Amino acid sequence: MSDVLRRPGRIRLWIGDHLVLALGLLVLVYMFVPIAVVILMSFNDNSNSRNIYAFRGFTWDNWSNMCNPTGMCSAVGKSVQIGLLATVVAVILGTLAAFGMVRHSFKGKSAANLIVFLPMASPEIVLGSSLLALFVSSGNSNLLGFRAIFIAHVMFCLSFVIVTVKSRLSGMDANLEQAAMDLYANEWQTFWRVTFPLVLPGILGAAMLSFSLSFDDFIITNLTAGQTTTFPMFVYGASQRGVPMQVNVIGTIMFLVSITIVIGNELNNRRKARALAA
Amino acid sequence: MATAPAAVRPRRKLTGYWLILPAALWLGFFFVIPLYSLIANSLYDPDGSPLGGYEVTYHFGNFTDALEQYWKPLLRSLGYAGLATAFCLVLGYVLAYAIAFKAGKWRNLLLVLVIAPFFTSFLIRTLSWKLILADDGFIVNSLQAVHVLGPDDRLLATPFAVIAGLTYNFLPFMVLPLYASLEKIDGRLIEAAGDLYASPARAFFKVTLPLSMPGVVAGTLLTFIPAAGDYINADLLGNPNTRMVGNVIQDLFTSINDYAAAAALSVILMVVIISMVLVYVRKAGTEELV
């Protein structure tokens, strides 16, 4: 057999090359189909129909009367409030812990790693039910509600913050700090002028992840919520009766906000990279 | 892990402990102790009630009772989660491979697009699937038109819909670790396999796939574990015969108020998952986790 025949022809190569890319893009399209439906449905005019499964006509009404469904906007507010609070606390505690775990040696490091890993490896239903079990069996059912949700959200966000900041920290070039010290910066200056700015993107990423985990959580929240209603709980409750179209408006806003942040961040990175290259 | 040069860390020995103390306390109080209390609950006297109070009577019968009554949803959960993980692995591998090796300068943008759906509420996206798979929806109508589905067949409220929902919802958890390990592969190794007359398929199975194993293991775990405990998909897209163990635990806790059985079932789920994970990680042979 000649060498030419043994190697795939150019056309086959081109197809092989682009087939994977095309299939990959198809998977990506699949990931966006439900979001496209959410955006479309946020403009659905179903004012005279109980059938939420059909597109009846275009309207801005859902957007202009966003807060019409009873309790929806207050549920969104509650979710934002819990999300911000839990994010701030989880990011502070998690960043401190990540520094401790990467920069310091201490006894029981592998135990600490395990404790951080376990909440991420446990199904949410187990995390939620154990918190509920604790609150009920210790006679503190009155804590269920805002406080319990906050406690639970900080708990499951912490692990993600620690892991994200840790990976940023351990991927950092330690020579930069060494250089700062060589140039007579003291420890404090080195930290705030060199270390912290370098870790900051990791911290911000962790904060974004925390907020979205918290804002989106249903399973754990539902078990610890008592009488409080967060936005996912509102959606779940509504799904049993008939979802108001305004839910899709909130979904669309969430999508737009997050995609603006991520794409803005990406553009910013490119600009920085270009500035560095120039 | 990078070790900082000695000059940067002449810290006092205790600083490390102080830094991790707050997080450790939080996880101790709100993860470890609750877990302990869940296990205690699972050993409650089954005759107690939330009003009358419970007693820990070391009633191990709770476990056998729970297994006897709920082995079906438990097995179903593992089966559905396993299938969804397999689908995620195939879809996720294609996507991660395309991004890592074929996307060129669009790499970062595509990665952003993988994460973007993740920031739009999980429940809203699942409800959106409910709409897409609905009985008079576009997909069902088209499939009926080409006689893949009979006139009365439906997609919604079937195991298919539940597994499809699980696959969809946990796909990003598969793509990201797969991408992370594919991206690290030195392309020259794959070229070398080609130079040594390996066919593209052979090069893939002998070089690329083994090198991406850490990503495969991490991705399958990150998909399987939450999928096995999930009950939203079964609830919104399934029917009473597709109930998963999460649905049962949720109901036992919130509407039936049988804390002993609920806790026992939770503990069983946790133990089953942890033992499956341990066996799997040992078989797959990567020590990069934990």
Side-chain angles (χ1 to χ4, degrees), chain A residues 3 6 17 20-21 23-25 27-28 30-35 37-38 41 51-53 89 93 96-97 99-104 106-107 114-119 121-123 125-127 129-134 136-137 150-151 154-155 158 162 170 172 174 177-178 181 187 208-209 212-213 216 218-219 222-223 231-232 235-236 239 243 247-248 251 254-255 258-259 262-263 266 270, chain B residues 1-5 7-13 15-17 19-20 22-23 26-27 29-35 37-38 41 44 91 94-95 97-98 102-103 105-106 108-110 112-114 116-125 127-132 134 136 164 167-168 171-172 195 197 200 225 229-232 235-236 246 249-250 253-254 259 266 269-270 273-274 289-290:
Chain A
D3 202 42
R6 201 177 281 139
D17 224 36
V20 180
L21 189 59
L23 288 176
L25 289 178
V27 176
L28 207 57
Y30 161 71
M31 294 177 82
F32 276 88
V33 167
I35 291 175
V37 172
V38 169
M41 283 304 182
N51 180 10
I52 58 156
Y53 297 122
V89 175
L93 299 191
L96 290 178
F99 269 94
M101 290 171 84
V102 175
R103 291 302 174 82
H104 297 267
F106 55 90
K107 275 186 196 144
L114 185 69
I115 295 290
V116 170
F117 176 74
L118 269 180
S122 314
I125 186 89
V126 173
L127 295 178
S129 52
S130 30
L131 274 166
L132 181 62
L134 174 71
V136 171
S137 62
F150 163 72
I151 286 173
V154 173
M155 184 269 290
L158 249 182
I162 294 177
S170 48
M172 224 170 79
E177 288 170 302
Q178 181 74 60
M181 301 285 256
E187 264 193 43
M208 226 184 125
L209 183 65
S212 68
L213 284 172
D216 206 18
F218 174 72
I219 297 183
N222 191 35
L223 285 167
F231 179 61
V235 176
Y236 184 78
S239 76
V243 188
V247 161
N248 296 311
M254 280 164 73
F255 175 70
S258 55
I259 204 145
V262 245
I263 289 189
E266 175 62 24
R270 283 198 182 187
Chain B
M1 200 177 284
T3 39
V8 186
R9 49 174 209 181
R11 317 271 155 87
R12 283 125 301 180
K13 276 206 168 136
T15 323
Y17 292 104
L19 287 173
I20 61 165
W26 201 287
L27 287 178
F29 275 116
F30 303 122
F31 172 66
V32 179
I33 293 179
L35 210 54
S37 129
L38 180 75
N41 274 21
Y44 273 163
L91 295 177
V94 171
L95 182 54
Y97 188 94
K102 308 285 176 190
K105 62 173 178 173
W106 299 106
N108 282 335
L109 180 74
L110 289 184
V112 165
L113 290 179
V114 171
F118 174 80
F119 288 109
T120 308
S121 171
F122 170 76
L123 274 165
I124 297 183
R125 279 179 292 140
L127 283 173
S128 177
W129 275 112
K130 190 170 177 177
L131 222 121
I132 297 168
D136 48 0
T167 306
Y168 175 78
L171 190 53
D195 289 346
Y197 299 108
I225 295 169
D230 179 79
Y231 65 85
I232 303 295
D235 201 341
L236 298 180
I249 296 175
Q250 162 77 18
F253 263 119
T254 56
Y259 281 59
S266 282
L269 177 66
M270 183 90 175
I273 286 183
I274 289 180
L289 290 152
V290 186

Side-chain angles (χ1 to χ4, degrees), chain A residues 61-74:
Chain A
D61 286 358
N62 304 322
W63 283 80
S64 48
N65 305 319
M66 213 196 291
C67 289
N68 257 9
T70 333
M72 188 180 81
C73 283
S74 66

